[in-house]
Amino acid sequence: MDDNVGTGGHVPVMLDRVLELLGPALAGPEAVVVDANLGLGGHSEALLAAHPALHLIGIDRDPFAIDFSTRRLAPYADRVTLVHASSGDLADVLAGTGRTSIHGALFDLGVSSPQLDEAERGFAYSYDAPLDMRMDTSQELTAETVVNTYSAAELARILRDYGEERFASRVAALIVKERAKEPITSTKRLAELVREAIPAATRRTGGNPAKRTFQALRIEVNAELSALEAALPAALDALALGGRVVVLSYHSLEDRLTKQVLAARTKDTSPPGLPVPLEAHQPRFRLLTRGAELPSEEELARNPRAASARLRAAERIRVDHD
């Protein structure tokens, strides 16, 4: 992977909208923003350039992302703290940096460009590669382990829940049958099995039939949804008054979870029928987006990978008084 990938081949998704939404919260003299999924640092670079007093805390579980962004953000090194960790550890990361209050948080979820583009990482069904799919290459669990050791029921649950695969049981049964003959170790072999398991009529529509299975395995290997379940509430808890959070999701599971977390924080929980709303039950946050915002036609023309992006944002409007 050459150093030019971040500025040439990679375009940060919905960058203008991210800057517009986070901007009002980051204008102060001691503003702190967390980029919870640093990736190639494109959003972070733009935020640092737009706000000369801003301090950025970047988190990523992929060592490549930390190395790459360290070089990319070198001009801002005195205003940057990069941490190799899962976004699920966000609360611990903030405690470790001594920054318990923040003014902005960005979640750019999903898989990053180098993870997809480097065949040997095993994320993509379009290359033949070892079944790996680890974002953090130091962890033990790989897609090969999942495929070859999980029970048929466990595999079917993962494919159904994380991949929304209609034929989850058929795919899982064929995997279990074939791995008994020899272990399934390559992306090509797995993609072939998925194709074989799915009815021919279904295969003719909706793109590569392996897409949903590969998504499901990636989410399982990297515990992506549980990381978001921990990280998003932690970021909201840390936001100062007027602080803002922006979440970019790339599949319906992430977007649904984001919607649920934000909905819970933005609703009035006063008992019905009271003449005056109770302060303790007033929402602490307000939504900045109506539903999920989609990328513009211009952005899609420039950056096809933005096609599945869904953006939601919220602002803290009250703080809890002890």
Side-chain angles (χ1 to χ4, degrees):
M1 181 62 65
D2 64 60
D3 280 5
N4 296 320
V5 66
T7 47
H10 175 72
V11 184
V13 172
M14 299 180 77
L15 178 60
D16 291 345
R17 188 63 174 135
V18 168
L19 291 174
E20 180 185 1
L21 284 164
L22 288 176
L26 305 181
E30 295 183 350
V32 177
V33 68
V34 174
D35 186 341
N37 312 93
L38 181 65
L40 294 175
H43 288 105
S44 286
E45 183 180 49
L47 287 165
L48 288 160
H51 301 282
L54 180 66
H55 189 90
L56 181 131
I57 299 169
I59 304 171
D60 207 291
R61 37 191 320 184
D62 188 339
F64 172 87
I66 297 295
D67 292 344
F68 186 91
S69 292
T70 298
R71 295 193 298 275
R72 181 174 192 165
L73 304 178
Y76 310 100
D78 58 334
R79 298 195 282 125
V80 171
T81 305
L82 301 186
V83 183
H84 177 223
S86 164
S87 61
D89 301 324
L90 189 145
D92 292 338
V93 169
L94 289 180
T97 61
R99 311 249 183 190
T100 51
S101 178
I102 61 174
H103 304 87
L106 172 64
F107 291 84
D108 184 14
L109 303 170
V111 65
S112 72
S113 297
Q115 289 164 348
L116 283 173
D117 293 339
E118 290 192 12
E120 65 272 16
R121 299 293 294 269
F123 282 92
Y125 43 79
S126 48
Y127 308 111
D128 189 19
L131 265 178
D132 192 322
M133 300 197 196
R134 292 173 298 171
M135 291 179 179
D136 181 350
T137 49
S138 67
Q139 77 172 39
E140 285 189 25
L141 184 66
T142 66
E144 182 178 331
T145 306
V146 173
V147 165
N148 289 287
T149 65
Y150 280 29
S151 69
E154 287 175 310
L155 286 171
R157 177 189 62 77
I158 291 164
L159 299 183
R160 190 169 48 248
D161 291 354
Y162 297 163
E164 299 176 288
E165 173 55 72
R166 283 166 55 206
F167 301 101
S169 296
R170 290 176 63 146
V171 173
L174 188 57
I175 286 172
V176 170
K177 179 183 166 198
E178 291 300 314
R179 78 188 188 194
K181 301 172 189 171
E182 63 175 333
I184 300 162
T185 60
S186 75
T187 54
K188 183 167 182 265
R189 178 73 180 122
L190 178 61
E192 287 169 351
L193 288 176
V194 175
R195 185 176 178 79
E196 200 179 313
I198 289 175
T202 305
R203 290 203 305 260
R204 286 194 285 271
T205 60
N208 193 308
K211 180 178 181 180
R212 292 179 294 277
T213 291
F214 274 63
Q215 172 183 296
L217 288 171
R218 193 197 82 214
I219 291 171
E220 172 68 14
V221 168
N222 298 291
E224 289 175 45
L225 290 174
S226 56
L228 180 59
E229 280 175 329
L232 184 51
L236 292 168
D237 289 343
L239 281 179
L241 188 64
R244 294 181 167 201
V245 63
V246 172
V247 183
L248 283 163
S249 306
Y250 297 89
H251 57 71
S252 58
L253 301 170
E254 293 171 338
D255 184 52
R256 193 180 309 144
L257 179 55
T258 301
K259 180 182 178 181
Q260 289 167 350
V261 171
L262 295 183
R265 301 287 186 119
T266 53
K267 73 179 180 192
D268 186 331
T269 58
S270 298
L274 292 181
V276 180
L278 299 173
E279 171 63 27
H281 292 272
Q282 290 292 289
R284 271 42 186 162
F285 294 82
R286 72 178 179 99
L287 294 175
L288 299 170
T289 48
R290 290 172 64 91
E293 293 187 4
L294 309 180
S296 66
E297 293 298 322
E298 297 91 322
E299 167 134 18
L300 292 176
R302 191 173 65 244
N303 186 11
R305 279 191 179 160
S308 58
R310 303 287 181 271
L311 182 150
R312 295 181 188 270
E315 177 184 26
R316 182 182 277 280
I317 54 172
R318 282 184 185 78
V319 291
D320 293 306
H321 300 290
D322 296 330

